[in-house]
Structure formats: structure tokens, C-alpha cells
Amino acid sequence: MKDAVSFRTRKTSIYDKKSNTPFKISRSKFFNFLSCKRCFYLDRVKGLKEPSMPGWALNVAVDELLKKEFDLYRKEQKPHPIMVKHKLNFVPYQHKDLDIWRNSLKGGISYLDENTNLIIHGGIDDIWFDLTEKKLVVVDYKAQSSTFPVTVSSYLDAEWHLSYKLQMDIYVHILRKMNFKVSDRTFFYVCNGEKTKNKFDNKIDFKTTLIPYRVNTDWIEKKLIEMKDVL
């Protein structure tokens, strides 16, 4: 039996070097380029679809509930308890386009890189506002279930979390290109599903940990030029 091979049919998903129309690159496709240039080329230029991944229904549910929870504090412009716990002079950031920024399918956060004619975009989970520095703080929700303790060093040093850090770098870079003042300091809001209970009881208890990460955006401009060359 032959392996199933599928190709993209949407013209906007395939790069045409003869076109002057800006070409969209999502944050996830940017990471695909960093991981495997050949795979990226076959996808964006030749239209060869990468194998699809199953949905993460529980992770999506946690994301949606967290957004609703933080929106309650956003509406009143009061600090969330996690901010109080960590003595952060923050409030959830309020902006008329926040719902668009959260949805990558609706455009997310984006900017046109004039050097490459590429539109770089992605959907963020949340943004907090640093009342002291008057800067935006990017926050990414992460749901997981691990028996290992969640600490700053173990979380950030994990090889499979490299994509998380690059994700944050790109989000901050985009927002700065959108002319916002954005802090180098970002956070992963990690929700770890506990598996130590003796029974299910129709619920999963989560332990939340706030993991700080200081971004580095210096590498992005060079990689965008490399990406355009590959295209």
C-alpha cells in the first residue's frame, strides 16, 4: 500500500516568487523553518502537506477557561491572584483588538517585514501590563500532566521546550514591530494536572506555576532573510 501524500490547494499557502503580494508566515511555520529547511520548502513552495497532528482537546479547554478567568480581572483592571502571589505590579492588558490577537485564524498579531515582503503572524494567549515599567508582558498558557516537579530551570532547560522559548521571542518581536513597548520579561503560566489522587471524582486538580523567561530577539531578522532565500 502506498503512503498517502496530500498537497495544498489554497494558492495563498504556496509561495510564488513571481508575485509581489506579501506572503504570510505563521509563528508555527517559522519554527518549522528553523527545525527543517527542506520540510519548510516542500510545504510552502511545493505545497506538500506535513502529516496532521491530533487535536489537544484538554489543553484547549484549559486555555479557554484561563482566558475567561483573566478576562474577569481584565474587565475590572485588577491584578489576578497569581500576580499578587508573585508581587508583580501587573494587571491583565486591555485592548480592543485582544480577541483578534488571540485568534491566529483571524490574523492574530502580525506585521509586514519590508526587507522580505513576508507577513509574520501568530496567536497569543494573553498579555499583561507592567504598571511600573509601562510595558506589555507576553504570557503563554501551558497545560500538561507530569510527575516531575515544575521548576524554572527544569522547564526552560528541557530540550523539547526550545520551541516554547522561540515562540516567545517571535511574539515579542512582532508586538514591537507593531509599535508597542514590550518587556523582555515574559511568562509561561504552566498548569500541571495532578495524578496523585486515589480516584477521578469527575475532576482533575491542577497545580499552577509561573515560569519567567527573558526573551532574545536578536536572531530573528537574520533568520527572516534566510527564510526568504529558501522560499
Side-chain angles (χ1 to χ4, degrees):
M1 182 177 178
K2 292 183 179 180
D3 293 335
V5 177
S6 59
F7 289 86
R8 300 189 180 279
T9 56
R10 273 197 325 186
K11 291 184 177 180
T12 55
S13 297
I14 301 174
Y15 182 76
D16 179 5
K17 65 180 181 181
K18 297 179 182 178
S19 173
N20 292 322
T21 302
F23 187 67
K24 289 185 176 182
I25 296 290
S26 67
R27 187 274 313 165
S28 60
K29 292 302 176 185
F30 199 158
F31 182 72
N32 288 356
F33 165 78
L34 298 173
S35 302
C36 175
K37 293 180 176 63
R38 183 182 180 86
C39 302
F40 174 81
Y41 176 83
L42 289 173
D43 181 352
R44 297 289 91 179
V45 178
K46 295 300 182 181
L48 182 64
K49 281 187 178 181
E50 60 185 341
S52 60
M53 293 288 289
W56 304 93
L58 288 178
N59 299 62
V60 171
V62 171
D63 277 10
E64 290 298 321
L65 290 171
L66 282 174
K67 286 173 183 174
K68 290 178 181 178
E69 178 178 316
F70 276 92
D71 279 351
L72 294 175
Y73 293 89
R74 194 182 324 276
K75 185 177 180 180
E76 297 183 2
Q77 284 296 277
K78 291 183 178 180
H80 183 277
I82 196 72
M83 300 171 182
V84 176
K85 177 182 177 181
H86 289 273
K87 298 180 180 179
L88 299 170
N89 189 25
F90 293 174
V91 292
Y93 183 60
Q94 200 167 34
H95 193 281
K96 63 180 179 62
D97 294 328
L98 184 61
D99 287 337
I100 295 175
W101 295 350
R102 287 168 165 174
N103 191 332
S104 60
L105 297 179
K106 291 184 178 180
I109 55 173
S110 67
Y111 84 101
L112 172 63
D113 184 74
E114 294 182 355
N115 291 327
T116 59
N117 203 31
L118 299 175
I119 296 174
I120 312 302
H121 70 99
I124 50 97
D125 282 338
D126 207 349
I127 297 178
W128 299 347
F129 187 70
D130 186 330
L131 294 168
T132 303
E133 295 189 355
K134 307 298 182 185
K135 291 182 178 180
L136 306 191
V137 178
V138 180
V139 180
D140 203 60
Y141 305 145
K142 297 296 183 187
Q144 63 176 47
S145 183
S146 172
T147 55
F148 296 102
V150 179
T151 65
V152 175
S153 58
S154 66
Y155 195 82
L156 294 181
D157 293 343
E159 184 178 353
W160 55 91
H161 287 167
L162 172 61
S163 63
Y164 294 177
K165 294 185 283 187
L166 296 177
Q167 174 185 14
M168 284 296 210
D169 294 348
I170 294 169
Y171 286 159
V172 168
H173 174 77
I174 294 174
L175 284 166
R176 285 175 176 167
K177 290 295 184 178
M178 293 170 65
N179 294 320
F180 289 101
K181 292 182 178 180
V182 189
S183 176
D184 283 339
R185 184 167 56 159
T186 66
F187 292 93
F188 296 105
Y189 191 88
V190 183
C191 304
N192 190 57
E194 301 286 288
K195 295 185 281 192
T196 56
K197 302 292 183 182
N198 294 323
K199 56 181 179 177
F200 178 42
D201 268 341
N202 295 320
K203 65 179 180 180
I204 299 176
D205 291 327
F206 286 87
K207 182 178 180 181
T208 58
T209 307
L210 200 59
I211 303 292
Y213 167 64
R214 189 165 291 275
V215 299
N216 172 27
T217 62
D218 295 341
W219 60 271
I220 295 177
E221 299 278 357
K222 180 182 177 181
K223 289 299 178 182
L224 285 173
I225 295 172
E226 288 182 19
M227 185 192 298
K228 183 60 180 288
D229 289 341
V230 168
L231 289 170

